[in-house]
Amino acid sequence: MGGRGGGTDGRDADTGAAARADVSGDDAVWARELLDLLRPGAYDAGRVVDWLGTAVDASVSLRDDTGRVLAGTGCPAEESILADVVSGRLASAAWEGDGRHLRLIHVDLPPPAGGGVLAVARTTPFDRRAAGIVTRTAAALELLLRAEHTTATGLRLARATSDLRLAILQLLMVEDTISARRVAAGLWPGLLDTDTTCVYVVESTPADRDRLAEACLAATRDRALVVRCPAVDAHVIVVTPGEAEGAALRRLCDRDPGTYLGGSTRQSLAHTAAAYGQAVSALAVARFRPDRAAVHAERTHPERLMDPAALASWAGALLRPLDTLPHHTRGELLATTRLGLEFTAVSAAKILGVSRNTVRARMERVEHLIGADFSDLTVRATVHLALHSQAAGAARQPGPAPAVLGGLLAGTALRAWAHDLLARLDTDGRDLRRTLRAWLTAGGNAERAAQLLGVHPQTVRDHIRGAEPVLERQLLATGSDLYEVVLAHLATGDLDGPVAGGTESGHPDAPVHR
């Protein structure tokens, strides 16, 4: 471009001179406008460049060292001078000619770009005001781009760390503790150097979940595995080997009235999936408690009232067909089935990081092996009992005689617990107990239960919701709470036992009621 070249002062001199300029009157107006564009959450390089063009009545562009226009529109200039400014050999350059006035200012760009240039072209000369605006905007753009890069890098690192924590949890969920330890060792040495662990689920709101996760990390001082639950947007999952972290989470919930805490009993690290199910079950109880916290061991569970040897004998016989599988495959099938019975297939898939079709295929394989039909609510409840008792480490020594489910449910302690639990419903004038029995008989289907009772389906749903706080158990969502209530009805005789799966008695795939 023809014309007269201008001075090439150093950046410090340009910035210092602009900084010493008197900011008053009209200067104060444009300074405030520029500051507004630089507020956190609002700044954008394109908006700043567009504002500069309007403020000085010019064509403005921001280009990187490859010539690519990052913002604004292209301004023609001598390529050799452009190269000198982009590389930093010249801090700035100016031309006049052909009725145009051009300013070029070097701008440090974040990696991978080495440098860039802010080009401003006017049809009138640059007065003191225009020159000051251009110089200060160039400096502001550098700070803005550096902040954006730092923020983006921080977000990418945080996202990668979060994904890594989720990957470790998913490995634990399928009992692959060796791989989980290997993955964790690089970033969190010693985190999983334990044989047992507790799992906590902290609940807030989806909008507050990120803040809650950071609060959990701070409370546990990075001595726990903190994961944003992939299945429930309001949940944060915390896997911790120590007791102090659980106490810290309780204090966190005490300080925040919008949070709830559910915890598991201490479990083997390989049984993280079972511990997670316990924590979710305890969370349902926490919602009805004034301190908004509960631990699974704080209430009586039916398996604790059964003879341990008889329970182990029955569960071992039921699940024995899986013992012939390779260890990893067996663990994968058991963990998937536990989660699939505890939650929906979609939620279990999100937790495990697989497709819902994979979850269903694995559960169907378990159905085939043990001769079960998971469409039957009583079958799901009894298989869940077997899986949970094994995960809880029940003794495997067989009893004096082969155990049967009917014998386990006929125990004096269990029957007393079941009668006491269901008797809580008798104090409600709506006959919640009758509605609940019909609903369970209908497999948890409100429409079919309504037909049995001769009422509207919404009445059934209302009664089931009304029974939840009375029993301190979550019924409308599948899981441990629902299965405990099913076992209580089986123990009292209010429900028939599981229907045979169609395989021969004595066959390795014999049905669950044996």
Side-chain angles (χ1 to χ4, degrees), residues 275-506:
Y276 171 64
Q278 289 184 351
V280 172
S281 177
L283 183 65
V285 178
R287 296 190 186 101
F288 303 118
R289 292 197 168 183
D291 61 352
R292 306 184 312 282
V295 174
H296 189 71
E298 291 179 355
R299 76 185 192 202
T300 302
H301 297 279
E303 66 272 13
R304 296 178 179 270
L305 303 174
M306 300 177 184
D307 178 77
L311 177 59
S313 176
W314 170 77
L318 173 63
L319 302 175
R320 187 168 296 125
L322 280 77
D323 293 343
T324 62
L325 301 173
H327 175 75
H328 177 74
T329 302
R330 180 182 184 276
E332 191 175 67
L333 291 179
L334 288 176
T336 302
T337 303
R338 285 192 200 103
L339 289 172
L341 292 175
E342 197 74 45
F343 309 101
T344 65
V346 174
S347 294
K350 290 179 179 178
I351 294 168
L352 294 171
V354 298
S355 71
R356 58 185 176 183
N357 289 335
T358 298
V359 171
R360 292 188 178 114
R362 291 175 183 175
M363 294 184 68
E364 286 172 2
R365 186 175 180 185
V366 173
E367 281 183 295
H368 173 73
L369 284 169
I370 67 176
D373 178 9
F374 290 158
S375 65
D376 186 317
L377 181 56
T378 57
V379 170
R380 294 204 303 275
T382 50
V383 172
H384 181 273
L385 172 65
L387 292 170
H388 184 73
S389 65
Q390 279 206 346
R396 288 180 176 269
Q397 290 78 13
V404 295
L405 180 61
L408 292 174
L409 298 175
T412 302
L414 182 68
R415 289 176 61 85
W417 164 83
H419 282 291
D420 288 345
L421 177 67
L422 299 181
R424 300 181 193 176
L425 300 169
D426 295 337
T427 59
D428 194 291
R430 293 173 294 178
D431 201 355
L432 299 181
R433 187 165 181 172
R434 174 172 175 264
T435 303
L436 178 58
R437 182 170 62 247
W439 183 71
L440 294 176
T441 300
N445 184 285
E447 284 73 16
R448 291 202 299 269
Q451 292 177 356
L452 291 173
L453 297 170
V455 298
H456 194 277
Q458 189 57 45
T459 301
V460 173
R461 296 187 187 96
D462 290 342
H463 283 196
I464 301 304
R465 289 191 186 94
E468 288 184 326
V470 177
L471 298 175
E472 289 190 330
R473 282 160 175 82
Q474 201 170 15
L475 303 176
L476 290 171
T478 188
S480 297
D481 287 359
L482 174 61
Y483 298 144
E484 286 188 4
V485 174
V486 171
L487 291 176
H489 281 79
L490 290 173
T492 59
D494 289 333
L495 275 182
D496 294 331
V499 178
T503 54
E504 297 177 2
S505 177

Side-chain angles (χ1 to χ4, degrees), residues 200 202 212 214-224 226 238 240 242-256 259-261 292-293:
Y200 295 90
V202 192
L212 179 62
E214 293 301 320
C216 290
L217 283 169
T220 58
R221 300 181 181 179
D222 281 336
R223 292 195 294 262
V226 179
V238 182
T240 172
E243 302 293 340
E245 291 73 33
L249 292 174
R250 279 183 175 269
R251 289 193 295 271
L252 173 64
C253 290
D254 287 341
R255 295 193 301 268
D256 190 341
T259 60
Y260 300 88
L261 177 69
R292 306 184 312 282

Side-chain angles (χ1 to χ4, degrees), residues 42-315:
Y43 53 60
D44 173 81
R47 291 181 61 200
V48 173
V49 167
D50 291 343
W51 170 85
L52 176 59
T54 301
V56 299
D57 190 21
S59 297
V60 183
S61 70
L62 176 65
R63 290 193 277 187
D64 64 14
D65 51 2
T66 68
R68 183 167 62 97
V69 176
L70 303 178
T73 57
C75 295
E78 185 70 35
E79 290 301 324
S80 62
I81 302 298
L82 269 176
D84 286 342
V85 175
V86 168
S87 67
R89 287 192 294 271
L90 295 178
S92 64
W95 288 270
E96 299 175 20
D98 299 333
R100 297 199 323 136
H101 302 264
L102 180 67
R103 288 287 178 99
L104 302 175
I105 298 180
H106 175 82
V107 176
D108 287 330
L109 299 178
V117 60
L118 180 67
V120 184
R122 286 166 44 109
T123 58
T124 57
F126 284 85
D127 55 15
R128 171 188 166 280
R129 173 184 178 276
I133 293 175
V134 171
T135 302
R136 291 198 181 188
T137 302
L141 272 173
E142 279 192 350
L143 294 174
L144 184 154
L145 294 168
R146 192 177 304 141
E148 284 185 333
H149 175 69
T150 302
T151 301
T153 301
L155 289 174
R156 284 195 297 270
L157 179 60
R159 191 178 302 114
T161 305
S162 178
D163 290 344
L164 189 57
R165 289 193 181 100
L166 175 58
I168 294 169
L169 176 67
Q170 289 169 342
L171 289 169
L172 292 175
M173 288 290 190
V174 294
E175 302 184 10
D176 192 352
T177 57
I178 294 176
S179 297
R181 285 181 172 127
R182 286 174 178 168
V183 174
L187 288 179
W188 302 284
L191 177 63
L192 299 181
D193 290 349
T194 178
D195 293 326
T196 60
T197 187
C198 290
V199 176
Y200 295 90
V201 177
V202 192
E203 181 181 76
S204 182
T205 63
D208 205 35
R209 204 250 300 260
D210 286 344
R211 183 203 61 79
L212 179 62
E214 293 301 320
C216 290
L217 283 169
T220 58
R221 300 181 181 179
D222 281 336
R223 292 195 294 262
L225 181 66
V226 179
V227 180
R228 292 166 176 80
C229 179
V232 183
D233 291 341
H235 286 182
V236 175
I237 303 169
V238 182
V239 182
T240 172
E243 302 293 340
E245 291 73 33
L249 292 174
R250 279 183 175 269
R251 289 193 295 271
L252 173 64
C253 290
D254 287 341
R255 295 193 301 268
D256 190 341
T259 60
Y260 300 88
L261 177 69
S264 73
T265 59
R266 183 156 291 279
Q267 295 278 358
S268 163
L269 189 63
H271 296 147
T272 300
Y276 171 64
Q278 289 184 351
V280 172
S281 177
L283 183 65
V285 178
R287 296 190 186 101
F288 303 118
R289 292 197 168 183
D291 61 352
R292 306 184 312 282
V295 174
H296 189 71
E298 291 179 355
R299 76 185 192 202
T300 302
H301 297 279
E303 66 272 13
R304 296 178 179 270
L305 303 174
M306 300 177 184
D307 178 77
L311 177 59
S313 176
W314 170 77

